[in-house]
């Protein structure tokens, strides 16, 4: 049933259980006011993304912007001090806003839970609205439940469970189930707006605040847009400016060249920067994948110690700390194993990664599973001790040049046969889960999300483009893996999955993301079924 509300917002989906608690006229009006104010600017920035991509593909150099040299040179400015609940961030756990995940994350002992509406959530309408309900219930401490099998999930009695941060979807996505003035509402404003409207004051009353992670930003102008969204949202609800805090994921190559500028744009609302591995590699290939000197080998071989990745993370720490901001490390996606020997190997790998981050100056890091919280905490405890962070380590020894950030050729190389098959297999299995409504899925001992599928499919595209892998070989592996997928997942729409892979990995022109194609074809109610 389509419902006409203030600001011309319409819901183009059937009502679900408790949806009316989130999709209130006032909440939708709030989202509509954000859309009315900012959608045109967003569209302009997305057009500029495309123009920038064309310039870079044509050979324009990527460098630190000359026009903002004064911002980088001015040593006087700082971001806002840490907000309540964000002073100590040595362990952050991430996952979709599902009821089971919420209880486990809040009880995990992590400092922060990043509730992810982006890469870890397949954006079915029910997932999105249910996720908002989960957050509302968690803040109201009415999240406890018992499964049909009788397993109980209960919040601990801790006065300070993990601090909630919310990651909305990126600027590039639309929410087709909500319409404003005849157009889809920007997905970022839906996720942000519904949470902010219902939970901002509740979080303030609980001693925290409305805190966010911002994905897929490509430049300072996109950060400025978010800052203006925060200002208007706070003004509309009578919340003091500066109450919002946001950490930006530096997961695009262009954003890596504007870290200080991004912090500067958000400074009264900034909670630092985060290093996102798979999306960063994905961005490198999208931006420069047509060049042979950016030919990456198997993704498993591109570790965080690769020269260009190390330059990126060291610059991130130095940038954050010289501005008083937190620097948060990347994801440990491993899932603990049932076999004791295998599990020890998992924990050893995570321990080594987190010790490296702590020693490099990061103030905290991410894990995907509650079973990894303690090993991450121990690694950072060893460096931090009783201190909440190490922002005093300004890493003046770090001197990163544009050439350092782009030195991919130092590890450039062709893939292995196993790497090709793994990428095809992982992409297909993730697509199957995503189309079924599951955005975070355990595959081969790792908790994977959309970023994994993106790097897997663009690597296939790059290897085909440079003919280091024969197309016939890819088609044969695709045949094999589709057959295996159908045997393992009888419910999977294998023809749709194959078509999605061919359209997003095997075409001449690389689609920027797989999600818009999959979303529009499979997760949106078609116009003819709208009531």
């Amino acid at each position: 049933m389509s419902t006409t509300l203030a600001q011309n917002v319409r819901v183009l989906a059937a009502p679900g259980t408790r949806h009316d608690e989130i999709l209130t006229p006032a909440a939708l009006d709030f989202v509509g006011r954000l859309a009315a104010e900012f959608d045109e600017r967003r569209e302009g920035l997305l057009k500029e993304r495309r123009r920038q991509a064309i310039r870079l593909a044509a050979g324009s150099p990527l460098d630190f912007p000359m026009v903002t040299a004064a911002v980088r040179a001015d040593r006087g400015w700082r971001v806002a001090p840490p907000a309540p609940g964000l002073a100590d961030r040595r362990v952050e756990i991430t996952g979709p806003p599902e009821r089971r995940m919420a209880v486990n994350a809040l009880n995990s002992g992590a400092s922060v839970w990043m509730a992810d509406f982006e890469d870890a959530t397949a954006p079915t309408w029910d997932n999105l609205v249910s996720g908002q309900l989960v957050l509302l219930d968690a803040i109201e401490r009415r999240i406890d439940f018992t499964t049909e099998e009788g397993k109980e999930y209960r919040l601990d009695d801790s006065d300070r469970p993990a601090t909630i941060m919310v990651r909305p979807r990126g600027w590039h996505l639309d929410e087709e189930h909500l319409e404003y003035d005849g157009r889809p509402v920007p997905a970022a404003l839906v996720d942000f707006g519904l949470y902010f409207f219902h939970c901002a004051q509740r979080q303030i009353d609980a001693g925290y605040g409305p805190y966010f992670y911002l994905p897929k930003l490509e430049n300072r102008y996109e950060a400025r847009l978010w800052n203006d969204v925060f200002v208007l949202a706070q003004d509309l609800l009578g919340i003091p400016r500066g109450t919002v805090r946001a950490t930006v994921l530096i997961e695009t190559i262009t954003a890596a060249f504007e870290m200080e500028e991004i912090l500067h744009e958000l400074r009264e609302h900034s909670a630092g920067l985060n290093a996102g591995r798979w999306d960063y590699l994905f961005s490198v290939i999208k931006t420069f994948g047509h060049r042979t000197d950016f030919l990456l080998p198997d993704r498993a071989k591109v570790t965080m110690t690769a020269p260009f990745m190390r330059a990126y993370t060291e610059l991130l720490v130095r940038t954050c700390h010289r501005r008083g901001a937190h620097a948060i490390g990347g994801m440990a996606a491993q899932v603990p194993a049932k076999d004791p020997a295998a599990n020890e190997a998992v924990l050893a790998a995570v321990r080594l990664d987190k010790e490296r981050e702590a020693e490099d100056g990061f103030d905290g890091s991410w894990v995907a599973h509650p079973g990894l919280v303690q090993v991450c905490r121990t690694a950072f405890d060893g460096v931090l001790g009783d201190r909440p962070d190490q922002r005093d380590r300004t890493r003046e020894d770090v001197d990163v040049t544009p050439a350092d950030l782009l030195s991919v050729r130092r590890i450039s190389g062709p893939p292995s046969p196993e790497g090709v098959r793994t990428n095809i297999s992982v992409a297909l299995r993730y697509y199957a889960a995503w189309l079924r409504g599951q955005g975070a899925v355990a595959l081969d001992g790792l908790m994977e999300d959309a970023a994994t599928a993106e790097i897997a499919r663009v690597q296939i595209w790059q290897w085909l483009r440079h003919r280091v892998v024969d197309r016939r070989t890819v088609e044969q592996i695709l045949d094999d893996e589709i057959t295996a997928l159908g045997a393992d997942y009888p419910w999977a729409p294998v023809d749709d999955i194959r078509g999605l892979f061919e359209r997003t990995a095997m075409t001449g022109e690389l689609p920027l993301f797989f999600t818009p194609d999959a979303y529009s074809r499979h997760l949106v109610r078609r116009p003819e079924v709208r009531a």
Side-chain angles (χ1 to χ4, degrees):
M1 179 174 63
S2 298
T3 307
T4 302
L5 298 155
Q7 292 295 330
N8 299 317
V9 174
R10 301 171 68 225
V11 180
L12 304 177
T17 303
R18 296 181 61 198
H19 282 200
D20 59 320
E21 296 180 38
I22 297 298
L23 304 174
T24 64
L28 290 170
D29 178 65
F30 179 76
V31 171
R33 296 183 72 173
L34 297 179
E37 183 68 26
F38 299 113
D39 190 29
E40 186 174 347
R41 274 179 62 187
R42 179 194 73 123
E43 289 292 341
L45 291 174
L46 293 178
K47 290 178 181 177
E48 178 55 30
R49 279 189 184 184
R50 294 188 284 272
R51 288 191 289 265
Q52 172 77 327
I54 292 170
R55 289 193 293 267
L56 293 173
S60 294
L62 187 57
D63 204 342
F64 301 119
M66 292 182 60
V67 295
T68 54
V71 171
R72 297 193 299 276
D74 182 358
R75 298 300 299 269
W77 64 269
R78 295 288 186 275
V79 304
L86 294 180
D88 187 324
R89 300 174 62 182
R90 67 189 70 198
V91 189
E92 301 193 350
I93 189 168
T94 74
E98 299 170 351
R99 196 160 293 270
R100 186 175 314 190
M101 177 70 205
V103 175
N104 287 340
L106 294 171
N107 289 344
S108 67
S111 311
V112 167
W113 170 39
M114 196 271 284
D116 187 11
F117 283 95
E118 198 221 10
D119 279 354
T121 295
T124 67
W125 184 237
D126 189 62
N127 279 353
L128 297 170
V129 182
S130 295
Q132 296 285 347
L133 283 164
V134 165
L135 293 171
L136 180 60
D137 287 348
I139 294 166
E140 294 286 339
R141 299 189 69 86
R142 59 187 185 207
I143 195 73
D144 299 354
F145 74 102
T146 303
T147 67
E148 293 180 358
E149 296 76 23
K151 185 173 182 179
E152 294 186 351
Y153 287 83
R154 298 284 183 270
L155 278 185
D156 293 343
D157 294 331
S158 171
D159 291 334
R160 283 283 168 179
T163 301
I164 295 173
M165 301 184 77
V166 172
R167 177 160 70 167
R169 284 168 288 174
W171 283 129
H172 62 290
L173 295 171
D174 291 322
E175 177 45 67
E176 300 281 354
H177 297 96
L178 275 186
E179 186 179 83
Y180 164 74
D181 199 22
R183 295 182 297 174
V185 178
L189 297 182
V190 175
D191 300 340
F192 165 82
L194 292 176
Y195 175 74
F196 192 89
F197 183 84
H198 290 292
C199 297
Q201 189 60 53
R202 285 180 166 93
Q203 285 286 58
I204 295 167
D205 295 342
Y208 299 97
Y211 305 145
F212 300 90
Y213 260 98
L214 306 180
K216 306 290 190 293
L217 269 64
E218 297 200 6
N219 54 56
R220 61 192 181 277
Y221 302 110
E222 296 179 14
R224 182 181 300 170
L225 176 57
W226 266 119
N227 195 74
D228 290 346
V229 170
F230 297 156
V231 170
L232 179 59
Q234 290 166 128
D235 288 351
L236 289 175
L237 297 190
I239 291 172
R241 293 189 181 186
T243 302
V244 170
R245 290 289 193 279
T247 300
V248 173
L249 292 116
I250 302 298
E251 53 188 358
T252 65
I253 184 67
T254 53
F257 283 80
E258 298 192 28
M259 293 190 206
E260 288 203 69
E261 291 85 347
I262 287 169
L263 286 178
H264 187 261
E265 293 292 346
L266 285 161
R267 57 192 181 277
E268 72 172 333
H269 298 116
S270 177
L273 305 176
N274 171 280
R277 176 186 180 188
W278 289 138
D279 269 315
Y280 191 75
L281 293 176
F282 166 46
S283 173
V284 168
I285 295 174
K286 278 198 305 182
T287 307
F288 297 110
H290 60 287
R291 291 171 45 175
T292 56
D293 54 336
F294 280 82
L295 181 63
L296 286 171
D298 299 356
R299 59 191 173 93
K301 297 178 182 177
V302 188
T303 67
M304 296 302 283
T305 60
F308 77 104
M309 295 297 284
R310 187 145 184 82
Y312 145 67
T313 55
E314 292 207 313
L315 179 61
L316 189 149
V317 171
R318 191 199 74 172
T319 300
C320 286
H321 287 183
R322 76 190 303 203
R323 302 305 180 184
H326 283 124
I328 307 300
M331 171 72 81
Q334 292 88 339
V335 176
K338 293 181 180 179
D339 176 73
N343 192 56
E344 183 50 43
V346 167
L347 296 181
V350 174
R351 185 180 303 114
L352 184 65
D353 183 52
K354 299 312 171 190
E355 287 174 350
R356 174 190 55 78
E357 288 182 325
E359 290 163 3
D360 282 349
F362 282 96
D363 303 293
S365 192
W366 277 11
V367 300
H369 192 282
L372 303 180
V373 167
Q374 189 54 51
V375 67
C376 182
R377 180 173 293 280
T378 299
F380 277 88
D381 285 348
V383 171
L384 294 177
D386 294 331
R387 298 177 299 156
D389 56 55
Q390 48 185 336
R391 289 178 296 148
D392 58 327
R393 283 190 64 194
T394 55
R395 293 303 309 271
E396 298 299 330
D397 57 304
V398 171
D399 183 20
V400 173
T401 68
D404 295 330
L405 290 171
L406 298 172
S407 61
V408 177
R409 66 186 181 280
R410 295 174 64 182
I411 63 161
S412 181
S416 68
E418 296 78 10
V420 176
R421 183 173 292 274
T422 295
N423 274 355
I424 295 173
S425 173
V426 166
L428 294 177
R429 286 185 287 160
Y430 185 81
Y431 285 178
W434 198 90
L435 294 176
R436 203 185 194 197
Q438 185 179 1
V441 57
L443 298 173
D444 302 330
L446 299 173
M447 187 60 68
E448 307 287 27
D449 64 13
T452 308
E454 294 287 26
I455 182 63
R457 61 104 184 170
V458 298
Q459 282 207 295
I460 297 297
W461 173 86
Q462 185 186 41
W463 296 336
L464 285 171
R465 178 183 176 88
H466 294 291
R467 299 182 182 178
V468 295
V469 175
D470 182 75
R471 187 177 183 89
R472 183 174 297 177
T473 299
V474 171
E475 289 173 345
Q476 182 59 58
I477 295 173
L478 181 58
D479 288 341
D480 294 343
E481 292 300 325
I482 282 288
T483 299
L485 181 71
D488 292 341
Y489 302 161
W491 45 264
V494 292
D495 290 341
D496 289 343
I497 293 165
R498 183 187 187 110
L500 179 59
F501 184 83
E502 290 173 342
R503 290 191 303 274
T504 58
M506 299 178 67
T507 57
E509 189 73 21
L510 178 68
L512 296 181
F513 299 93
F514 86 82
T515 44
D517 180 299
Y519 178 70
S520 63
R521 290 173 184 263
H522 302 287
L523 297 187
V524 180
R525 290 181 178 275
R526 306 320 309 162
E528 61 268 22
V529 301
R530 292 175 179 173

